[in-house]
Amino acid sequence: MAIMTVIEAVREAMREEMRRDASVFILGEDVGRRGGVFLATQGFIDEFGEQRVIDTPLAEAAIAGVAVGAAMAGMRPIAEVQFGDFMFPVFNQIVGEAARIRYGTNGKLHVPMVVRSPYGGHVRGGLFHSQSPEAYFAHTPGLKVVTPATPYDAKGLLKAAIRSNDPVVFLEHKRTYRAVRGEVPDGDYVVPIGVADIKRAGDAATIVTYGLTLHYSLQAAEVLAGEGVEVEVVDLRTVSPIDRETVLESVRKTSRALVVHEDNLSLGVGAEVSAIIAEHAFDSLDAPVMRVAGPDIPAMPFAPTLEAAYMPTADKIEAALRRLLEY
Amino acid sequence: MAIMTVIEAVREAMREEMRRDASVFILGEDVGRRGGVFLATQGFIDEFGEQRVIDTPLAEAAIAGVAVGAAMAGMRPIAEVQFGDFMFPVFNQIVGEAARIRYGTNGKLHVPMVVRSPYGGHVRGGLFHSQSPEAYFAHTPGLKVVTPATPYDAKGLLKAAIRSNDPVVFLEHKRTYRAVRGEVPDGDYVVPIGVADIKRAGDAATIVTYGLTLHYSLQAAEVLAGEGVEVEVVDLRTVSPIDRETVLESVRKTSRALVVHEDNLSLGVGAEVSAIIAEHAFDSLDAPVMRVAGPDIPAMPFAPTLEAAYMPTADKIEAALRRLLEY
Amino acid sequence: MAVDNASIMTQTMNDLPSGLNAEDLVDIYANMVLIRTLDERIWAMNRQGKAAIVASSQGHEAAQLASVWALRHHAKDYFCFTYYRDLAVTVSQGLTPTEALLGFLAKEGEPMSGARQFPQHGAIPDRKVINISNVVATHISHAVGWALAAKMRGEPTVVAAYMGDGATSQGEVHEAMNFASVMKLPVVFIVENNKYAISVPQHRQMNVTEVSSRAVGYGMPGVTVDGTDVVASYAACAEAVERAARGEGPSLVELDVERYLPHTSDDDDSVYRAKEEIDEARKRDPLAKLKALLQSAGLMTDERDAELRESARREVDAATDAAEAAPFPPDDDVLERVFEEVG
Amino acid sequence: MAVDNASIMTQTMNDLPSGLNAEDLVDIYANMVLIRTLDERIWAMNRQGKAAIVASSQGHEAAQLASVWALRHHAKDYFCFTYYRDLAVTVSQGLTPTEALLGFLAKEGEPMSGARQFPQHGAIPDRKVINISNVVATHISHAVGWALAAKMRGEPTVVAAYMGDGATSQGEVHEAMNFASVMKLPVVFIVENNKYAISVPQHRQMNVTEVSSRAVGYGMPGVTVDGTDVVASYAACAEAVERAARGEGPSLVELDVERYLPHTSDDDDSVYRAKEEIDEARKRDPLAKLKALLQSAGLMTDERDAELRESARREVDAATDAAEAAPFPPDDDVLERVFEEVG
Ligand SMILES: Cc1ncc(C[n+]2csc(CCOP(=O)(O)OP(=O)(O)O)c2C)c(N)n1
Ligand SMILES: Cc1ncc(C[n+]2csc(CCOP(=O)(O)OP(=O)(O)O)c2C)c(N)n1
Ligand SMILES: [Mg+2]
Ligand SMILES: [Mg+2]
């Protein structure tokens, strides 16, 4: 078992899959000699050559659309969109096209592609380098949307994504890239898409979260544990499809649910989680399902004070937990 | 009071606003001599000339982006996107740009534009002419998203949208265009954005809905009324921001809530409505918040059998109401 | 538009571009007759309330068929990424009239999308045709991606990407053409320029008379030819296909064609297009022109033509009966094949 | 790239294009010195951990300033839609060094976005500069829309839309250029071609040597000139501005420039760019070239230059102190100005 960061885990997953399967290739801006602006593909061009590590023109719609075409033809492209904020130019290709090709051809074609993108904030990224775009994609049937928070999950889920025969939007939280380290088994393993993970067990309440706020949630849970209150923390890992069973089982046990994410509140992934709980665990609930999320502003601003004011931090999660527990 | 269809109400709102305010203009594909493919701008080019009724190249991103630029410069563009399904190419401009210009310039600039688009199905539009794209936009702070269902609301809300100093995505359900007729006062009036409307009063349960399914919901409520059960039907009219007060007040009164929409279930607008009710009317609820929505498939298919299978019709709504009432 | 309408009448079988021979032209003519007959039937069935939506290929047939023959004769393998107006491509590639009509009537067994999509949309990979989407121009980068895959695997596939003049205004077309040229991919971009995007005439779509003038900005060849002239269209396509097959990269071939009917069956062109303009355009009818050429070479007679038309009518009649008799897809199919079924 | 590096040395004050005189050149030089000094300071403050992110304008100054002077002299009114590398545009348009530094340090009172955005982003409409977004190329259609509004209102505004070579691959640039040309809008598209999009060299971005080769496909003029040469850049921009002002429509002006530093302070260019290439590029330094020209005309001495540099240093020092002393914006500002406040 090696200890590695999230970005190292991402790199390792891709490297192993490219060695394993000649149909896997990478395309995106600066993925070649530069190794990607976050160095996810560092060294790849030397190992795999510029045929399989393709520096593209600055044109996200083409990156996505070409990947769709190559995937239909049987390749397994990994398209890198340099920042989650630049996913909007690929919307038409991913949401409008990739997601419905299996359905729209009645199964004649399918699209085994991954769109990887570093997303999220708390990195002084300002309005256009901090976006959490997951909810847009999670609303789209035909797409799988994966948001790992740990090196172990990042590697295992990325391998699953690359092997998936349906399009996967794979969102890696930028702040976790270097800040989060963890154990990663040597060699091959896969973490299944669509399965949530209980990152901390407890019985007093359930936090449902994913991405960077998993770590902030764990910090808040730790504080309460110091007071003898054990909070269960469910890491969705995949935000579409949502693992309803794991979420509902936990809430049926704890009777209280707090949903936490960094993306803005309204119609964030938390809305669906909350709606699922409200409909299917109604009889178990001792308190309303509460949400802690970014405020309804476009994204977090650049100034450090404003960024902190946006961010759902451990403090804010802890305060909400106390409100939930006191209800 | 005239009786008119939804498309006539839309046309009248735009015509009156263009007469009233020289800064209002229209741009889009086929809006000129053709008068729009649904004839929303029929006759406009004769009255207002091709300076103010601009047939554009087939390029939605430019239609939206040019509108954004003109709006920043103080004009009031109405950009027509020919079908809701072709909103994805404008995503980058509307979600990424227009929505955050006021915020990102700290209020120095703002974007008084409307993006109009005919959306929704049950018109044999198939996979790419039936889309309900409202949830994507409703997740975006900085945008207002309006979905009228009656001629009265269409005219009053479109006028409010054109006069808004913030960008509005205005979605007109295609099937209502000619199928729904209703009274429209002569002359000027405005229906405020962000205010829901109780289209039928009742105390047994609340349906929260909007768009075409308002009419199907009213049909279902009518059936139950025949049995002496009065269901309240709340028409959101604006899906972002959601009128929380009206929704919550109704649910506090009826204690039961059914959320209905045509868009697919997961992370549809109903998820947010359900989450709001679950959090803020928890103590009033006698039953779980239930949802009736399109299934999680890309959009409704072309064949009439498949389209019907997709569609949340009055029957399906009625069946869900019975489940809700029996809970 | 730089076309030479007169030239075709003087052409003889001696002028044929390499790869194209007299039998091909007879064969293409027979295809044209069948496809025109089918197209007219579909339009009529729309007017009878049976086909919900139709986009007619009438006026585009020569361009489409010439491109297909050029692909067949000049590429070891090929693939067509079509758009909604390409009935002549799909049928010449093997979509039977019955199958086509199953699509227009949205019946079970429709091979491209299982009647989930508008007619002519979906995929028949075994017949080398893909037309994924109704969102104009999204398929151009798919075509480029397919070509990239072929190149990566060392396959000899040439990909044809069909689009209208209107589609060329889309940003994705720019991105895809540029990408293909940078990567020297085996693509032929075929623009069927009928000078209208629904009601919007070419001069309101672009400030140039030839779409092919864009090619130089991507570092690829671009040419405009008379798309109602099978021979000229074939020659231009063949050159582009050969360049692609040689690994030298993409080309842009603009085929100047006519749209005889409204944009689709939902459209009313009388509000934006003068009847005289259409009458004028009818003088370039690709069927009449090819028939004249064949007659001048002694390869076609009025009798033989009448036989062809009669046989086409019978084939289309039978197809109509078969399609009308077919059931709609079963309701419960609506939820299937969103994702791979696992396990 | 068709540039003539030698020509500048032989240029004399007699060759100046109409509208540009010797005092302008001296003025431009003084601006260059101030902006280079400021740019160097910002880079240094990034290395000190004070400025979170910087994109340097070093090597682009002549192109940017020439375009601004051309707008001033040849348009009755104008507006600049800039991108992140346009420090010389913003500062010459009146953004003070203190204001610029408030942006780089994300301090309260920053005038473009209230420190909500990356430095140099937001809007200072009173100084005719807008730079809305970090999403490359989204602003090009905004610029076109601004020009459309001006034209509709009969205002004499010419809009300059600045972008890098990388940006030209975006579909939105195609759509916007085409739109502007169809509508004959008063826009000058200015491409600052430094031959890199971060690490991607021009030949992997496009299969042409000149971006300006795209102009013909839109039916507008396109030209490529040496963007390290103030005089040549001015002449090309002035012609385009005049055409726009006359109502004849847009033009594309490509200015061949150099990027002396990594893409941004987050980048490490050593992994993709040879040191020799940068050394070679430094020979075209716009400051050195303009100084040489002025000296050859007797309009600049080493002493005067030293004074200018010293005064720039003092101004930038004072700005640094002021910006460092300023507070960050207050927390509760985060929720404000999403929508218009009504009532
Ligand atoms: C992105 C998008 N915008 C608009 C439409 C509506 N639409 C369908 S076809 C068409 C015109 C296409 O014109 P052209 O490309 O010239 O093809 P033609 O029909 O003339 O063969 C339009 C505007 C669409 N389907 N997709
Ligand atoms: C849509 C989008 N994609 C990617 C990026 C990341 N990015 C920022 S600048 C840049 C390169 C731009 O190159 P160019 O246009 O040549 O400008 P230069 O920096 O060289 O002046 C890239 C890829 C972005 N900001 N927006
Ligand atoms: Mg056309
Ligand atoms: Mg560059």
PDB file of all heavy atoms in Angstrom, chain B residues 188-206:
ATOM      1  N   ASP B 188     -52.047  46.842 -21.125  1.00  0.00           N
ATOM      2  CA  ASP B 188     -50.853  46.558 -20.346  1.00  0.00           C
ATOM      3  C   ASP B 188     -51.138  45.986 -18.965  1.00  0.00           C
ATOM      4  O   ASP B 188     -51.931  46.532 -18.207  1.00  0.00           O
ATOM      5  CB  ASP B 188     -50.073  47.879 -20.198  1.00  0.00           C
ATOM      6  CG  ASP B 188     -48.660  47.636 -19.738  1.00  0.00           C
ATOM      7  OD1 ASP B 188     -48.037  46.685 -20.250  1.00  0.00           O
ATOM      8  OD2 ASP B 188     -48.178  48.372 -18.862  1.00  0.00           O
ATOM      9  N   TYR B 189     -50.478  44.905 -18.624  1.00  0.00           N
ATOM     10  CA  TYR B 189     -50.431  44.420 -17.241  1.00  0.00           C
ATOM     11  C   TYR B 189     -49.205  43.540 -17.121  1.00  0.00           C
ATOM     12  O   TYR B 189     -48.679  43.028 -18.119  1.00  0.00           O
ATOM     13  CB  TYR B 189     -51.702  43.631 -16.864  1.00  0.00           C
ATOM     14  CG  TYR B 189     -51.823  42.309 -17.575  1.00  0.00           C
ATOM     15  CD1 TYR B 189     -51.373  41.130 -16.989  1.00  0.00           C
ATOM     16  CD2 TYR B 189     -52.349  42.231 -18.863  1.00  0.00           C
ATOM     17  CE1 TYR B 189     -51.448  39.911 -17.670  1.00  0.00           C
ATOM     18  CE2 TYR B 189     -52.434  41.030 -19.533  1.00  0.00           C
ATOM     19  CZ  TYR B 189     -51.974  39.870 -18.934  1.00  0.00           C
ATOM     20  OH  TYR B 189     -52.044  38.688 -19.618  1.00  0.00           O
ATOM     21  N   VAL B 190     -48.768  43.388 -15.889  1.00  0.00           N
ATOM     22  CA  VAL B 190     -47.564  42.614 -15.647  1.00  0.00           C
ATOM     23  C   VAL B 190     -47.851  41.576 -14.579  1.00  0.00           C
ATOM     24  O   VAL B 190     -48.543  41.874 -13.603  1.00  0.00           O
ATOM     25  CB  VAL B 190     -46.430  43.564 -15.202  1.00  0.00           C
ATOM     26  CG1 VAL B 190     -45.354  42.824 -14.434  1.00  0.00           C
ATOM     27  CG2 VAL B 190     -45.831  44.282 -16.406  1.00  0.00           C
ATOM     28  N   VAL B 191     -47.381  40.378 -14.783  1.00  0.00           N
ATOM     29  CA  VAL B 191     -47.439  39.352 -13.731  1.00  0.00           C
ATOM     30  C   VAL B 191     -46.034  39.256 -13.144  1.00  0.00           C
ATOM     31  O   VAL B 191     -45.078  39.021 -13.877  1.00  0.00           O
ATOM     32  CB  VAL B 191     -47.874  37.986 -14.317  1.00  0.00           C
ATOM     33  CG1 VAL B 191     -47.769  36.897 -13.250  1.00  0.00           C
ATOM     34  CG2 VAL B 191     -49.288  38.065 -14.874  1.00  0.00           C
ATOM     35  N   PRO B 192     -45.892  39.472 -11.873  1.00  0.00           N
ATOM     36  CA  PRO B 192     -44.536  39.521 -11.310  1.00  0.00           C
ATOM     37  C   PRO B 192     -43.819  38.175 -11.371  1.00  0.00           C
ATOM     38  O   PRO B 192     -44.422  37.130 -11.110  1.00  0.00           O
ATOM     39  CB  PRO B 192     -44.752  39.960  -9.870  1.00  0.00           C
ATOM     40  CG  PRO B 192     -46.176  39.647  -9.568  1.00  0.00           C
ATOM     41  CD  PRO B 192     -46.926  39.728 -10.861  1.00  0.00           C
ATOM     42  N   ILE B 193     -42.552  38.233 -11.696  1.00  0.00           N
ATOM     43  CA  ILE B 193     -41.715  37.031 -11.701  1.00  0.00           C
ATOM     44  C   ILE B 193     -41.471  36.601 -10.257  1.00  0.00           C
ATOM     45  O   ILE B 193     -41.311  37.443  -9.374  1.00  0.00           O
ATOM     46  CB  ILE B 193     -40.383  37.335 -12.420  1.00  0.00           C
ATOM     47  CG1 ILE B 193     -40.671  37.602 -13.909  1.00  0.00           C
ATOM     48  CG2 ILE B 193     -39.382  36.204 -12.247  1.00  0.00           C
ATOM     49  CD1 ILE B 193     -39.451  38.051 -14.694  1.00  0.00           C
ATOM     50  N   GLY B 194     -41.489  35.300 -10.017  1.00  0.00           N
ATOM     51  CA  GLY B 194     -41.181  34.805  -8.677  1.00  0.00           C
ATOM     52  C   GLY B 194     -42.398  34.621  -7.788  1.00  0.00           C
ATOM     53  O   GLY B 194     -42.253  34.329  -6.601  1.00  0.00           O
ATOM     54  N   VAL B 195     -43.579  34.788  -8.356  1.00  0.00           N
ATOM     55  CA  VAL B 195     -44.795  34.642  -7.557  1.00  0.00           C
ATOM     56  C   VAL B 195     -45.635  33.499  -8.128  1.00  0.00           C
ATOM     57  O   VAL B 195     -46.043  33.537  -9.287  1.00  0.00           O
ATOM     58  CB  VAL B 195     -45.609  35.952  -7.561  1.00  0.00           C
ATOM     59  CG1 VAL B 195     -46.883  35.796  -6.723  1.00  0.00           C
ATOM     60  CG2 VAL B 195     -44.758  37.100  -7.038  1.00  0.00           C
ATOM     61  N   ALA B 196     -45.893  32.497  -7.304  1.00  0.00           N
ATOM     62  CA  ALA B 196     -46.711  31.369  -7.738  1.00  0.00           C
ATOM     63  C   ALA B 196     -48.185  31.751  -7.687  1.00  0.00           C
ATOM     64  O   ALA B 196     -48.543  32.799  -7.138  1.00  0.00           O
ATOM     65  CB  ALA B 196     -46.436  30.160  -6.843  1.00  0.00           C
ATOM     66  N   ASP B 197     -48.990  30.909  -8.266  1.00  0.00           N
ATOM     67  CA  ASP B 197     -50.415  31.227  -8.342  1.00  0.00           C
ATOM     68  C   ASP B 197     -51.229  29.972  -8.016  1.00  0.00           C
ATOM     69  O   ASP B 197     -50.946  28.895  -8.538  1.00  0.00           O
ATOM     70  CB  ASP B 197     -50.749  31.711  -9.761  1.00  0.00           C
ATOM     71  CG  ASP B 197     -52.174  32.205  -9.885  1.00  0.00           C
ATOM     72  OD1 ASP B 197     -52.641  32.905  -8.960  1.00  0.00           O
ATOM     73  OD2 ASP B 197     -52.826  31.892 -10.895  1.00  0.00           O
ATOM     74  N   ILE B 198     -52.221  30.147  -7.157  1.00  0.00           N
ATOM     75  CA  ILE B 198     -53.081  29.010  -6.831  1.00  0.00           C
ATOM     76  C   ILE B 198     -54.157  28.926  -7.899  1.00  0.00           C
ATOM     77  O   ILE B 198     -55.039  29.764  -7.983  1.00  0.00           O
ATOM     78  CB  ILE B 198     -53.672  29.185  -5.425  1.00  0.00           C
ATOM     79  CG1 ILE B 198     -52.501  29.166  -4.428  1.00  0.00           C
ATOM     80  CG2 ILE B 198     -54.677  28.074  -5.120  1.00  0.00           C
ATOM     81  CD1 ILE B 198     -52.883  29.334  -2.997  1.00  0.00           C
ATOM     82  N   LYS B 199     -54.038  27.905  -8.725  1.00  0.00           N
ATOM     83  CA  LYS B 199     -54.944  27.816  -9.868  1.00  0.00           C
ATOM     84  C   LYS B 199     -56.230  27.106  -9.479  1.00  0.00           C
ATOM     85  O   LYS B 199     -57.229  27.187 -10.190  1.00  0.00           O
ATOM     86  CB  LYS B 199     -54.256  27.079 -11.042  1.00  0.00           C
ATOM     87  CG  LYS B 199     -53.206  27.942 -11.772  1.00  0.00           C
ATOM     88  CD  LYS B 199     -53.852  28.969 -12.682  1.00  0.00           C
ATOM     89  CE  LYS B 199     -52.964  29.768 -13.596  1.00  0.00           C
ATOM     90  NZ  LYS B 199     -51.682  30.247 -13.279  1.00  0.00           N
ATOM     91  N   ARG B 200     -56.191  26.393  -8.370  1.00  0.00           N
ATOM     92  CA  ARG B 200     -57.410  25.769  -7.852  1.00  0.00           C
ATOM     93  C   ARG B 200     -57.221  25.628  -6.351  1.00  0.00           C
ATOM     94  O   ARG B 200     -56.181  25.158  -5.903  1.00  0.00           O
ATOM     95  CB  ARG B 200     -57.589  24.391  -8.493  1.00  0.00           C
ATOM     96  CG  ARG B 200     -58.819  23.664  -8.005  1.00  0.00           C
ATOM     97  CD  ARG B 200     -58.925  22.238  -8.524  1.00  0.00           C
ATOM     98  NE  ARG B 200     -60.203  21.703  -8.042  1.00  0.00           N
ATOM     99  CZ  ARG B 200     -61.260  21.513  -8.815  1.00  0.00           C
ATOM    100  NH1 ARG B 200     -61.215  21.717 -10.103  1.00  0.00           N
ATOM    101  NH2 ARG B 200     -62.396  21.071  -8.273  1.00  0.00           N
ATOM    102  N   ALA B 201     -58.197  26.032  -5.590  1.00  0.00           N
ATOM    103  CA  ALA B 201     -58.074  25.982  -4.135  1.00  0.00           C
ATOM    104  C   ALA B 201     -58.604  24.656  -3.618  1.00  0.00           C
ATOM    105  O   ALA B 201     -59.486  24.034  -4.238  1.00  0.00           O
ATOM    106  CB  ALA B 201     -58.829  27.138  -3.498  1.00  0.00           C
ATOM    107  N   GLY B 202     -58.052  24.209  -2.500  1.00  0.00           N
ATOM    108  CA  GLY B 202     -58.495  22.946  -1.911  1.00  0.00           C
ATOM    109  C   GLY B 202     -57.815  22.742  -0.578  1.00  0.00           C
ATOM    110  O   GLY B 202     -56.928  23.514  -0.204  1.00  0.00           O
ATOM    111  N   ASP B 203     -58.220  21.682   0.130  1.00  0.00           N
ATOM    112  CA  ASP B 203     -57.624  21.487   1.452  1.00  0.00           C
ATOM    113  C   ASP B 203     -57.150  20.056   1.687  1.00  0.00           C
ATOM    114  O   ASP B 203     -56.512  19.776   2.688  1.00  0.00           O
ATOM    115  CB  ASP B 203     -58.624  21.892   2.539  1.00  0.00           C
ATOM    116  CG  ASP B 203     -59.977  21.219   2.304  1.00  0.00           C
ATOM    117  OD1 ASP B 203     -60.031  20.213   1.548  1.00  0.00           O
ATOM    118  OD2 ASP B 203     -60.977  21.698   2.863  1.00  0.00           O
ATOM    119  N   ALA B 204     -57.412  19.177   0.725  1.00  0.00           N
ATOM    120  CA  ALA B 204     -57.074  17.769   0.951  1.00  0.00           C
ATOM    121  C   ALA B 204     -55.605  17.464   0.659  1.00  0.00           C
ATOM    122  O   ALA B 204     -55.003  16.593   1.295  1.00  0.00           O
ATOM    123  CB  ALA B 204     -57.960  16.880   0.092  1.00  0.00           C
ATOM    124  N   ALA B 205     -55.060  18.165  -0.297  1.00  0.00           N
ATOM    125  CA  ALA B 205     -53.659  17.945  -0.680  1.00  0.00           C
ATOM    126  C   ALA B 205     -53.245  19.097  -1.587  1.00  0.00           C
ATOM    127  O   ALA B 205     -54.097  19.805  -2.125  1.00  0.00           O
ATOM    128  CB  ALA B 205     -53.490  16.615  -1.409  1.00  0.00           C
ATOM    129  N   THR B 206     -51.945  19.249  -1.731  1.00  0.00           N
ATOM    130  CA  THR B 206     -51.418  20.290  -2.614  1.00  0.00           C
ATOM    131  C   THR B 206     -50.669  19.640  -3.768  1.00  0.00           C
ATOM    132  O   THR B 206     -49.828  18.764  -3.540  1.00  0.00           O
ATOM    133  CB  THR B 206     -50.420  21.187  -1.850  1.00  0.00           C
ATOM    134  OG1 THR B 206     -51.116  21.831  -0.773  1.00  0.00           O
ATOM    135  CG2 THR B 206     -49.794  22.223  -2.764  1.00  0.00           C
TER     136      THR B 206
END
